[in-house]
Amino acid sequence: VRTKVGIVGAGPAGLMLSHLLHLEGIESVVLENRSRDYVEQRIRAGVLEQGTVDLMNRTGLGERLSREGLVHQGIELRFGGRGHRIALTDLTGRSIFIYGQQEVVKDLIAARLAAGGIIEFEVDDVRLENLDSDRPAIRYRTDAGEHVLECDVVAGCDGFHGVSRDSVPAGVLSAYHHEFPFAWLGILAEVRPSTEELIYASHDRGFALHSLRSPEISRLYLQVDPDEPIDAWPDDRIWQELRTRLETVDGWSLADGPILEKGVTAMRSLVVEPMQYGRLFLAGDAAHIVPATGAKGLNLAIHDVSVLARAVVEWDRTGSTEMLDGYSDSCLWRVWRVQDFSRFMSSILHRFPEEEHDGFLARLRRAQLDYVCSSTAASTSLAENYVGLPFD
Ligand code: APR
Ligand code: PHB
């Protein structure tokens, strides 16, 4: 089979790329190793930057988002027994939108299939070939046997654990890693959120986050040790620890309810440079990972593929490879800006191990929190990064 763009991965990056290319009359095939149900049920992030929402609205994906998405114009930083609202929209004129990543994936799959797009689910053994030639190919298997997808361009949108990044010959990519000394224990609970806006709490016992998915579903997180076993956290202990870390404000209380899902997520950063090799272009988690603190992973993936789609269209229309050749450079400025912001948010909100014996560091962190919440300049800087810098 032959197509213009072979896309590995039906996550937000791969699906959005396929959608954007289709709108410009460029065909693609998406190859996904999981089932449709699995990718549509996978609980992941839940915050969309203004730029992501604008792109979805501009490209015909905004109908359900407009109905079910929640517009948020502020977040609360909670520490020292007090809540401090960062007025995102007053400070920047932009907002964030609460809408589950799995809802974005559902909308994209529905749009692609309605447009006759080809998404092959449950494929196996994906292998990329001839990436440094003008006839790259993707080999894969299905129940029907072995297949070869010949394409002009391969988009590696297969996430952190995919095969695309590792298909680049050794020595070509430079990888920049950072492991944070903590992880997040996340729960999805069937209980009305106890807050209208997200609460980021920095407590002596550690970080906690009260997020949400809908008026009926809450999403909450606790800072835990990097290798924390989920079995050490029965539901009662989770709710108790969340109350301790979040209920530092008089008169406020946290409602609890049945926990639908719980899991521990590592907090790490990764960037590979360049984000391309020959006719392979890496996008989203295949190229970079950010700690969830800044709610950036999904949005960065969408930005990558908005750049890649424009580059493929230019090449298809004019024969010029200028934007394709410059794809990695066009993405990396934002990738590193987002890495720095995610590290900043993580550094001021989490309790670090060295604070155990170094009170200076703990007080330095408190000074940063006090400054961010008392200075218009500092809170504007946080706000413009949180709502997302404009998509170029
Ligand atoms: N072959 C085919 N598909 C694969 C393979 C493979 N070898 N390996 C992984 N995949 C699929 C995964 O099943 C997943 O559906 O690629 C997709 C990658 O999607 P994501 O991991 O969601 O990555 P991305 O689209 O870049 O979106 C980034 O998603 O995971 C979150 O935290 C991440 O919010 C960020 C966003
Ligand atoms: C979420 O709702 O999953 C979420 C919200 C904000 C974050 C991280 C995760 O910073």
Side-chain angles (χ1 to χ4, degrees):
V1 175
R2 178 157 190 76
T3 189
K4 182 86 178 170
V5 182
I7 300 172
V8 187
L15 292 166
M16 179 60 84
L17 176 61
S18 182
H19 176 67
L20 295 175
L21 291 171
H22 162 70
L23 296 178
E24 300 294 336
I26 294 176
E27 62 174 18
S28 63
V29 170
V30 180
L31 301 175
E32 166 60 49
N33 63 355
R34 298 286 192 160
S35 70
R36 175 174 178 180
D37 275 354
Y38 181 89
V39 298
E40 289 189 344
Q41 303 309 319
R42 196 169 38 190
I43 303 295
R44 288 284 179 71
V47 173
L48 304 187
E49 288 179 357
Q50 181 83 54
T52 300
V53 170
D54 292 347
L55 181 69
M56 288 179 70
N57 284 325
R58 219 173 34 242
T59 60
L61 294 166
E63 195 272 329
R64 190 159 72 99
L65 169 61
S66 307
R67 272 190 291 113
E68 298 177 15
L70 303 172
V71 184
H72 279 206
Q73 300 191 332
I75 58 173
E76 178 185 327
L77 304 190
R78 188 172 285 188
F79 58 93
R82 284 189 55 211
H84 307 263
R85 184 169 187 264
I86 304 291
L88 301 173
T89 307
D90 292 345
L91 291 165
T92 68
R94 295 156 67 80
S95 306
I96 58 161
F97 297 75
I98 303 296
Y99 191 67
Q101 175 172 313
Q102 74 273 23
E103 305 311 324
V104 176
V105 166
K106 285 176 195 168
D107 294 340
L108 280 164
I109 289 175
R112 292 302 303 121
L113 297 182
I118 302 173
I119 307 174
E120 293 253 24
F121 292 101
E122 299 181 84
V123 305
D124 284 320
D125 195 16
V126 169
R127 285 145 288 153
L128 310 186
E129 296 180 345
N130 311 325
L131 296 174
D132 56 351
S133 78
D134 60 2
R135 297 180 68 80
I138 306 175
R139 286 186 184 277
Y140 63 98
R141 269 204 339 264
T142 67
D143 294 344
E146 179 82 8
H147 306 268
V148 180
L149 176 66
E150 294 185 353
C151 29
D152 294 329
V153 164
V154 176
C157 302
D158 46 351
F160 180 62
H161 302 289
V163 296
S164 298
R165 193 171 63 248
D166 295 339
S167 302
V168 178
V172 171
L173 298 179
S174 300
Y176 302 89
H177 297 265
H178 181 75
E179 292 287 335
F180 290 84
F182 41 75
W184 275 16
L185 186 159
I187 65 169
L188 198 69
E190 195 172 354
V191 60
R192 184 171 187 74
S194 300
T195 177
E196 295 288 320
E197 295 179 330
L198 274 61
I199 302 170
Y200 291 80
S202 181
H203 187 277
D204 288 347
R205 291 175 61 87
F207 170 77
L209 168 60
H210 190 330
S211 182
L212 56 141
R213 284 292 178 276
S214 73
E216 297 76 34
I217 301 289
S218 294
R219 179 71 162 151
L220 299 112
Y221 299 92
L222 278 172
Q223 171 186 347
V224 294
D225 290 340
D227 49 3
E228 187 78 4
I230 190 68
D231 300 345
W233 287 88
D235 294 5
D236 290 349
R237 184 186 177 198
I238 293 174
W239 287 116
Q240 181 52 47
E241 192 63 29
L242 282 167
R243 283 203 172 84
T244 301
R245 298 185 190 181
L246 284 162
E247 287 180 350
T248 53
V249 172
D250 295 341
W252 186 86
S253 64
L254 176 66
D256 64 31
I259 292 180
L260 306 173
E261 183 182 293
K262 65 170 91 165
V264 176
T265 304
M267 301 295 268
R268 61 164 67 98
S269 279
L270 165 78
V271 179
V272 293
E273 292 185 8
M275 292 169 51
Q276 62 192 95
Y277 168 72
R279 291 293 179 87
L280 170 65
F281 297 85
L282 301 173
D285 276 16
H288 40 69
I289 292 288
V290 285
T293 322
K296 290 299 174 190
L298 166 60
N299 297 289
L300 201 50
I302 297 298
H303 180 262
D304 286 348
V305 295
S306 71
V307 174
L308 182 53
R310 284 203 306 272
V312 171
V313 169
E314 179 200 63
W315 179 42
D316 186 60
R317 296 267 164 78
T318 70
S320 163
T321 61
E322 185 180 354
M323 288 182 73
L324 275 178
D325 297 341
Y327 163 72
S328 183
D329 288 342
S330 301
C331 290
L332 282 171
W333 183 90
R334 191 183 188 96
V335 168
W336 283 108
R337 170 91 306 277
V338 163
Q339 287 288 355
D340 179 51
F341 174 67
S342 302
R343 181 205 51 79
F344 166 73
M345 285 286 276
S346 299
S347 67
I348 64 171
L349 289 165
H350 291 79
R351 180 175 172 71
F352 284 70
E354 49 272 33
E355 292 178 31
E356 204 64 44
H357 56 267
D358 187 342
F360 178 80
L361 292 175
R363 282 162 179 70
L364 212 55
R365 188 161 62 79
R366 175 59 187 267
Q368 282 191 301
L369 284 167
D370 286 335
Y371 177 56
V372 159
C373 295
S374 59
S375 154
T376 301
S379 52
T380 303
S381 174
L382 185 154
E384 73 168 1
N385 281 280
Y386 192 91
V387 300
L389 299 174
F391 277 28
D392 30 78

